[in-house]
Amino acid sequence: MITYILNHTHEDGFNTFGISAFCGKKLIKSVSGISESFREMTELVEMCNELELELCQLDDIIEDYLTDFTL
């Protein structure tokens, strides 16, 4: 089972958040800098875990978030 965890980066004076995917303790994919909103990214990570999102769906979920929810 894949577990999704919020990740954080600090670049050029800005905090950004993304999603890291783990299988057990092994990092299998990480996408940084998706949003500056801690709350929104926390909700997105929680949703991915609750729905037991497959790794192959992660890019589509991120694309949907960026195009549908940030307008």
Side-chain angles (χ1 to χ4, degrees):
M1 183 172 135
I2 306 298
T3 302
Y4 298 93
I5 298 174
L6 181 75
N7 69 44
H8 170 258
T9 54
H10 182 81
E11 293 181 24
D12 300 325
F14 293 98
N15 290 310
T16 60
F17 302 93
I19 299 174
S20 295
F22 289 83
C23 184
K25 293 184 178 185
K26 182 178 179 183
L27 175 66
I28 53 177
K29 183 171 187 159
S30 186
V31 181
S32 300
I34 298 171
S35 175
E36 293 179 7
S37 174
F38 174 80
R39 181 187 56 78
E40 288 179 6
M41 287 308 301
T42 299
E43 291 173 359
L44 187 62
V45 168
E46 289 173 358
M47 181 185 70
C48 291
N49 285 315
E50 288 173 12
L51 296 174
E52 297 181 1
L53 188 76
E54 295 290 331
L55 185 62
C56 63
Q57 298 170 305
L58 182 59
D59 289 336
D60 291 334
I61 293 297
I62 293 169
E63 181 180 347
D64 289 347
Y65 168 79
L66 291 172
T67 56
D68 294 338
F69 299 113
T70 60
L71 294 178

